[in-house]
Amino acid sequence: GAVVSQHPSWVICKSGTSVKIECRSLDFQATTMFWYRQFPKKSLMLMATSNEGSKATYEQGVEKDKFLINHASLTLSTLTVTSAHPEDSSFYICSARRTEISYEQYFGPGTRLTVT
Amino acid sequence: KNQVEQSPQSLIILEGKNCTLQCNYTVSPFSNLRWYKQDTGRGPVSLTIMTFSENTKSNGRYTATLDADTKQSSLHITASQLSDSASYICVVSGGGATNKLIFGTGTLLAVQP
């Protein structure tokens, strides 16, 4: 149990276009999901906390207008990278926190975004 | 400042050998400490999670220890296999309403035949 999926697993897009990444908890409900980005050989950096039915909380330095987060249901959160630029190329990972077990987070497999 | 430091940064061992990875943290308040395994190009997978009162926890060939007094943890891998080659990340949760995770930079382990 506790499986988190991401779609797509990798995406290549042109500079200036927008890309949507989905994060789903497949077998549990998650009131809270988290979005991270990871650069090569670096640790995960929290971008934002996504709460079902309310606005996401963004970390300092993360542009909320550029990284749009929607958590419309207890099993789905989406991250949209708007007007993508090459410096947005990174590995994006989501995690989901089970509603009934507040401290455990389960990570998705990640999405590799390359902006050309 | 809340920090999680890991050592060594990288490690090469021969298949079948044991190894121990270290984690020191300065996180307060402390809720729990986790060890994750992250294969290249994949998301982290949980190995162990320990709360303040737990000193050791095992998951197959992985054994984690926690000394909350000295704020140190270790991950011991027994009888290493080629598939153990990955990055091992120590993560500390500071608790509170958001349970924000503080990530170490990881130890890159390479197991060679």
Side-chain angles (χ1 to χ4, degrees):
Chain A
V3 178
V4 176
S5 70
Q6 283 185 238
H7 178 80
S9 56
W10 59 271
V11 58
I12 301 173
C13 70
K14 292 186 176 180
S15 187
T17 60
S18 295
V19 175
K20 180 185 284 189
I21 302 170
E22 292 185 348
C23 176
R24 293 181 186 272
S25 56
L26 298 184
D27 51 0
F28 66 98
Q29 292 184 331
T31 54
T32 305
M33 290 183 173
F34 304 86
W35 286 96
Y36 299 84
R37 65 188 299 181
Q38 184 178 32
F39 292 105
K41 297 184 180 180
K42 298 293 184 181
S43 192
L44 280 73
M45 291 180 57
L46 180 65
M47 298 175 65
T49 301
S50 168
N51 298 293
E52 188 266 336
S54 64
K55 291 184 178 180
T57 304
Y58 290 81
E59 294 299 300
Q60 192 173 14
V62 177
E63 299 175 60
K64 62 179 67 176
D65 294 330
K66 181 170 185 61
F67 298 99
L68 301 179
I69 291 173
N70 184 278
H71 193 159
S73 76
L74 285 173
T75 59
L76 173 63
S77 176
T78 60
L79 168 68
T80 301
V81 183
T82 63
S83 187
H85 291 285
E87 55 265 30
D88 297 325
S89 299
S90 187
F91 192 52
Y92 292 87
I93 303 174
C94 74
S95 71
R97 188 163 73 194
R98 296 179 76 139
T99 306
E100 68 274 20
I101 305 177
S102 63
Y103 58 81
E104 185 59 271
Q105 288 187 31
Y106 300 92
F107 287 86
T111 296
R112 171 73 60 193
L113 170 63
T114 301
V115 185
T116 61
Chain B
K1 181 181 178 182
N2 289 329
Q3 278 189 319
V4 178
E5 296 183 344
Q6 292 186 241
S7 62
Q9 278 191 327
S10 61
L11 181 62
I12 301 174
I13 62 173
L14 294 177
E15 186 179 12
K17 298 297 185 181
N18 305 333
C19 68
T20 300
L21 314 180
Q22 301 292 341
C23 173
N24 297 329
Y25 62 93
T26 55
V27 177
S28 182
F30 172 88
S31 177
N32 55 74
L33 184 145
R34 312 129 184 258
W35 282 93
Y36 287 91
K37 177 186 179 187
Q38 185 178 23
D39 293 310
T40 302
R42 305 290 293 173
V45 174
S46 180
L47 296 176
T48 63
I49 179 169
M50 291 181 290
T51 59
F52 184 89
S53 60
E54 296 176 290
N55 300 119
T56 185
K57 183 164 282 189
S58 293
N59 178 1
R61 294 180 296 103
Y62 302 103
T63 299
T65 64
L66 173 64
D67 186 333
D69 291 330
T70 61
K71 299 187 176 181
Q72 295 179 326
S73 176
S74 67
L75 179 69
H76 186 73
I77 305 174
T78 304
S80 61
Q81 301 176 357
L82 297 178
S83 59
D84 292 332
S85 296
S87 180
Y88 291 84
I89 308 172
C90 175
V91 183
V92 178
S93 173
T98 60
N99 257 319
K100 188 175 292 188
L101 301 183
I102 299 160
F103 289 79
T105 52
T107 292
L108 185 60
L109 174 66
V111 180
Q112 295 184 341

